[in-house]
């Protein structure tokens, strides 16, 4: 299992979701990805995307004025 | 063998119903959603403070979750420019190239379908629903020009159209498809009730900003000022924000209307010179175009007019260039009668 971060700062929705989606497609099941965003909409959109595509949200919240979503890549991508 | 369909999911009710109808027939459905840059999404919510109270969600994702399908969001910002600049079939009421847009999206969906081993495409289109892109004579144009042919099924109005391959091959039962037509929304609402769908987005007019008159005026103005049809992502985002005021052909001001917009515009101060009132509370304004000292003074007077010092005899502003160097300007706010209405975009 590996951990990755993805800089989605200054992107407006749905761009953060698209970036996460494209990054996840390159990762292995079990990998963790942390997306750092500045559009608060990402806190809704990325978890919604994870739920429908079978990935687990480990954390979604505000950190130092930014919005962070951490997920674990699910079995099928 | 279970057949697989890819659905164009916009986030509205029609595509939601189309998916349900096909799911009911035992077909595996996944959704595809295209991001053109003009989509009416959460942007303005993220920017404007007063809009934040409204529930903010990405409708396409929300719809996919309700339907229990996967959704693939595809960034087509770059390729889509050609559709906006040179639509073969022209624009609708504003700068919306709906028919070309549909053809383009179906063509992209076809590529996706082929590379992911799916069998056909479904959309929520209804004959006669929209003036240009969903007419009886234009629906076949989408099939022809996109190259999808009869692998495009429109479950809500299929019975008004010739049978497609999925119907002829018996992958789906034509008898269980629908014959909706025209602008009425009643049959869709009745079907929604039957499926127990109560909450759905009601798009007014269209799914993107290009159907918005104000927005199209600003985009046309941008093209005129640049001397060519062109835009970057930043440009089309900025058209959604603030008051746009063009006192002369070669420069315009983007003036924030409230705090959230001011904060958003701040992020662009490295790209555009800016003005901010300092003696009074007031907006942040970006200057798009080259200005001389006289024009800068006029710009400052306009910005001062939107500050709390609008009735003061003098307002002080800070001018900041793209390198971050600043200088102070003192001006008299422009009186309302000197603000030419034609400057307002
Ligand atoms: S409203 Fe916009 S997104 Fe929808 S079909 Fe027309 S141009 Fe395309």
């Amino acid at each position: 299992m590996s951990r990755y971060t993805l800089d989605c700062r200054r992107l407006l929705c749905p761009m953060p979701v698209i970036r996460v989606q494209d990054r996840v497609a390159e990762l292995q099941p079990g990998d963790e990805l942390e997306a750092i965003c500045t559009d608060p909409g990402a806190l809704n959109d990325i978890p919604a995307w994870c739920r429908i595509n079978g990935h687990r949200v480990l954390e979604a919240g505000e950190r130092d004025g930014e919005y962070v979503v951490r997920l674990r890549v699910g079995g099928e991508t | 063998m279970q057949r697989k369909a890819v659905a164009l999911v916009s986030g509205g009710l029609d595509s939601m119903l189309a998916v349900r109808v096909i799911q009911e027939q035992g077909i595996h459905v996944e959704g595809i959603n295209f991001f053109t840059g003009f989509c009416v999404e959460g942007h303005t919510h993220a920017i404007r403070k007063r809009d934040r109270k409204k529930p903010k969600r990405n409708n396409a994702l929300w719809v996919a979750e309700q339907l229990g399908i996967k959704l693939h969001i595809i960034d087509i910002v770059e390729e889509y420019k050609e559709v906006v600049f040179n639509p073969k079939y022209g624009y609708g009421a504003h700068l919306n190239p709906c028919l070309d847009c549909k053809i383009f999206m179906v063509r992209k969906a076809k590529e996706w379908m082929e590379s992911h081993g799916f069998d056909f495409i479904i959309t929520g289109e209804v004959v006669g629903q929209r003036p240009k892109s969903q007419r009886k004579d234009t629906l076949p144009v989408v099939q022809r020009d996109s190259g999808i042919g009869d692998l495009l099924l429109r479950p809500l109005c299929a019975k008004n159209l010739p049978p497609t391959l999925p119907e002829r091959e018996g992958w789906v039962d034509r008898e269980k498809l629908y014959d909706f037509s025209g602008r009425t929304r009643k049959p869709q609402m009745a079907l929604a009730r039957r499926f127990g769908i109560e909450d759905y987005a009601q798009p007014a007019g269209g799914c993107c900003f290009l159907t918005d008159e104000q927005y199209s005026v600003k985009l046309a103005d941008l093209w005129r000022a640049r001397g060519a049809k062109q835009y970057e992502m930043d440009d089309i985002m900025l058209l959604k924000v603030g008051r746009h005021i063009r006192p002369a052909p070669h420069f315009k001001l983007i003036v924030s209307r409230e705090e959230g917009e001011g904060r958003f515009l701040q992020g662009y101060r490295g790209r555009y010179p800016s003005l901010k009132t300092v003696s009074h509370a007031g907006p942040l304004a970006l200057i798009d175009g080259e200005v001389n000292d006289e024009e800068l003074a006029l710009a400052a007077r306009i910005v001062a007019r939107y500050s709390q010092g609008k009735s003061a005899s003098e307002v002080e502003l800070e001018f900041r260039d793209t390198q971050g160097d600043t200088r102070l300007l003192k001006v008299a706010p422009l009186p309302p009668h000197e603000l030419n209405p034609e400057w307002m975009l």
Side-chain angles (χ1 to χ4, degrees):
Chain A
M1 187 210 83
S2 315
R3 287 204 169 87
Y4 303 90
T5 54
L6 185 65
D7 182 0
C8 299
R9 293 180 183 95
R10 285 176 298 281
L11 296 177
L12 295 177
C13 287
M15 282 313 289
V17 187
I18 297 177
R19 289 284 162 82
V20 166
Q21 168 189 272
D22 295 349
R23 190 75 185 95
V24 164
E26 302 164 351
L27 303 181
Q28 300 300 319
D31 284 350
E32 274 185 34
L33 180 66
E34 182 172 276
I36 304 164
C37 312
T38 46
D39 180 349
L43 285 184
N44 286 321
D45 292 358
I46 297 176
W49 179 83
C50 287
R51 286 194 298 275
I52 61 181
N53 289 290
H55 310 292
R56 208 156 121 219
V57 178
L58 304 173
E59 178 194 344
E62 205 173 330
R63 190 197 295 162
D64 306 328
E66 298 179 321
Y67 306 94
V68 178
V69 181
R70 197 158 53 85
L71 63 92
R72 175 167 300 134
V73 179
E76 18 160 22
T77 51
Chain B
M1 164 177 168
Q2 193 187 26
R3 293 289 168 179
K4 295 197 269 186
V6 53
L8 262 63
V9 172
S10 63
L13 178 62
D14 292 3
S15 49
M16 202 172 179
L17 294 172
V19 171
R20 266 276 186 273
V21 168
I22 292 305
Q23 277 178 321
E24 271 206 329
Q25 298 211 18
I27 306 278
H28 172 82
V29 183
E30 295 189 15
I32 193 167
N33 174 261
F34 294 105
F35 179 61
T36 63
F38 296 102
C39 308
V40 183
E41 274 309 335
H43 301 149
T44 46
H45 298 279
I47 300 164
R48 294 195 76 170
K49 222 176 161 189
R50 70 176 171 86
D51 288 342
R52 284 198 186 159
K53 284 183 262 349
K54 291 188 210 153
K56 182 188 142 19
R57 68 181 182 207
N58 177 307
N59 281 315
L61 282 169
W62 183 84
V63 159
E65 195 168 12
Q66 302 306 301
L67 295 166
I69 62 171
K70 287 192 177 183
L71 181 75
H72 311 276
I73 307 179
I74 307 205
D75 170 2
I76 53 167
V77 172
E78 279 306 313
E79 292 165 90
Y80 192 74
K81 288 180 179 175
E82 200 40 43
V83 177
V84 181
F85 297 153
N86 296 307
K88 184 173 163 196
Y89 297 100
Y91 298 106
H94 303 295
L95 285 177
N96 49 314
C98 291
L99 186 50
D100 291 82
C101 173
K102 268 281 148 59
I103 293 165
F104 181 76
M105 288 184 179
V106 171
R107 190 185 308 132
K108 295 302 287 182
K110 175 176 178 274
E111 285 169 22
W112 192 94
M113 171 190 99
E114 285 164 352
S115 59
H116 289 78
F118 277 56
D119 299 295
F120 61 103
I121 298 179
I122 61 173
T123 69
E125 290 165 295
V126 168
V127 199
Q129 177 99 191
R130 296 223 197 270
K132 184 149 189 156
S133 57
Q134 299 189 24
R135 277 195 330 239
K136 189 136 196 160
D137 57 326
T138 56
L139 289 184
V141 173
V142 175
Q143 282 164 282
R144 186 190 67 208
D145 288 16
S146 67
I148 191 68
D150 62 359
L151 286 176
L152 173 60
L153 176 67
R154 292 139 168 150
L156 302 186
C157 64
K159 281 182 166 169
N160 296 321
L161 303 168
T164 59
L165 190 84
E167 295 160 86
R168 292 199 311 273
E169 291 291 318
W171 303 344
V172 299
D173 179 355
R174 181 170 168 93
E175 282 316 302
K176 293 188 184 137
L177 303 177
Y178 293 85
D179 60 354
F180 299 170
S181 73
R183 300 187 74 99
T184 167
R185 303 289 297 157
K186 287 209 183 94
Q188 281 94 323
M189 273 135 83
L191 187 58
R193 270 194 301 279
R194 220 201 83 205
F195 284 136
I197 300 171
E198 281 160 14
D199 182 8
Y200 45 85
Q202 298 263 31
C207 24
C208 83
F209 269 106
L210 295 171
T211 56
D212 184 84
E213 180 174 2
Q214 270 318 103
Y215 191 87
S216 296
V217 165
K218 286 187 265 185
L219 183 58
D221 167 78
L222 183 89
W223 290 346
R224 228 177 358 256
R226 303 243 167 115
K229 286 186 180 181
Q230 50 162 259
Y231 61 79
E232 293 306 324
M233 198 55 196
D234 279 343
D235 296 322
I236 59 180
M237 297 309 290
L238 283 173
L239 294 185
K240 299 176 189 172
V241 185
R243 280 188 188 84
H244 289 236
I245 305 170
R246 182 177 294 285
H250 61 283
F251 78 96
K252 79 167 172 180
L253 301 171
I254 305 173
V255 186
S256 66
R257 289 171 294 196
E258 42 85 287
E259 213 186 308
E261 288 191 339
R263 219 172 312 115
F264 182 78
L265 292 182
Q266 259 184 32
Y268 287 87
R269 287 192 305 178
R271 269 199 61 189
Y272 298 95
S274 60
L275 282 164
K276 174 93 188 80
T277 53
V278 289
S279 58
H280 299 79
L284 176 74
L286 303 180
I287 305 172
D288 182 4
E290 294 281 324
V291 289
N292 60 28
D293 283 348
E294 203 179 309
E295 290 156 347
L296 179 61
L298 173 63
R301 294 186 69 200
I302 295 171
V303 177
R305 199 223 153 300
Y306 291 102
S307 77
Q308 300 211 335
K310 61 176 180 249
S311 333
S313 57
E314 195 174 71
V315 169
E316 193 170 26
L317 299 97
E318 183 186 82
F319 169 76
R320 189 175 190 272
D321 67 20
T322 51
Q323 305 303 313
D325 293 331
T326 60
R327 69 184 148 106
L328 293 172
L329 297 166
K330 282 188 180 147
V331 297
L334 199 74
H337 65 269
E338 285 183 40
L339 191 73
N340 186 339
E342 283 175 17
W343 296 349
M344 314 299 290
L345 300 176

